[in-house]
Amino acid sequence: MVKPQDRRWVAFALVGYSLLLIYWMLFGFGREPHDTYRYNLKPLFTIRQFLRAGDFMSARWLVNMIGNIGVFIPFGLLMPMVFGGKLRKEISLFLLGIVILEILQLVLKRGSFDVDDMILNTAGFLLGFGIYKLYDRMLSKPNKRRTRYG
């Protein structure tokens, strides 16, 4: 559980990380606008292509598969500290943000709207959320050690 005075700093970190991620997803890494709209609406289509391709563990594979999971783990860690740790509420807010980000990539032609990205991003969020819950549970358990004479 986060102390109220610390919640403000965690919220600041969450907003800062969100802005950094928006920059990365729309402008960073030399992203230039495309001539066409790019999208994938078939769940697991892109993921299957990466798993079938001979470039398993290549830089492209790592960026697309591991990167789409890894960069969203902080949301699973930070959001419960700010919003209270209710999975249904936080995953709804997270998914709304991801859909908006994917739509921005499509409309601005700076990336693609890819349902597989949303699946991988959500996996990252859930991984971070699970780590948060595990850590929170470990901290909240009363010390069950008893002394022999106490």
Side-chain angles (χ1 to χ4, degrees):
M1 193 55 93
V2 176
K3 297 174 189 167
Q5 65 268 26
D6 296 336
R7 186 168 283 143
R8 187 173 334 137
W9 291 108
V10 176
F12 181 74
L14 181 61
V15 169
Y17 190 72
S18 297
L19 292 173
L20 178 63
L21 189 70
I22 290 167
Y23 171 77
W24 282 342
M25 301 305 284
L26 298 177
F27 306 104
F29 309 107
R31 281 191 195 248
E32 294 290 327
H34 308 295
D35 294 335
T36 60
Y37 295 106
R38 296 180 181 180
Y39 58 91
N40 168 42
L41 302 176
K42 296 178 187 175
L44 305 177
F45 180 77
T46 307
I47 293 171
R48 272 193 224 119
Q49 283 187 323
F50 277 109
L51 294 176
R52 280 189 212 141
D55 63 351
F56 180 72
M57 295 299 286
S58 68
R60 185 170 172 238
W61 186 89
L62 287 169
V63 166
N64 283 284
M65 299 293 285
I66 304 303
N68 272 315
I69 294 170
V71 297
F72 288 92
I73 291 173
F75 286 100
L77 294 168
L78 297 173
M79 287 179 72
M81 293 183 215
V82 175
F83 299 113
K86 302 290 185 205
L87 180 60
R88 184 176 295 199
K89 179 173 92 173
E90 289 161 29
I91 201 162
S92 297
L93 183 60
F94 175 79
L95 288 172
L96 176 64
I98 291 301
V99 168
I100 290 170
L101 182 60
E102 291 289 325
I103 289 171
L104 281 172
Q105 284 185 314
L106 177 70
V107 171
L108 298 174
K109 298 180 183 175
R110 291 183 169 268
S112 64
F113 182 98
D114 192 338
V115 70
D116 286 350
D117 286 351
M118 293 190 296
I119 291 168
L120 295 170
N121 300 161
T122 303
F125 170 83
L126 290 171
L127 182 59
F129 190 87
I131 292 168
Y132 169 81
K133 284 297 192 180
L134 182 64
Y135 183 71
D136 188 50
R137 192 169 290 159
M138 287 170 39
L139 287 181
S140 66
K141 279 189 177 182
N143 190 354
K144 293 191 177 189
R145 283 194 243 166
R146 296 181 183 202
T147 62
R148 188 171 188 171
Y149 304 106

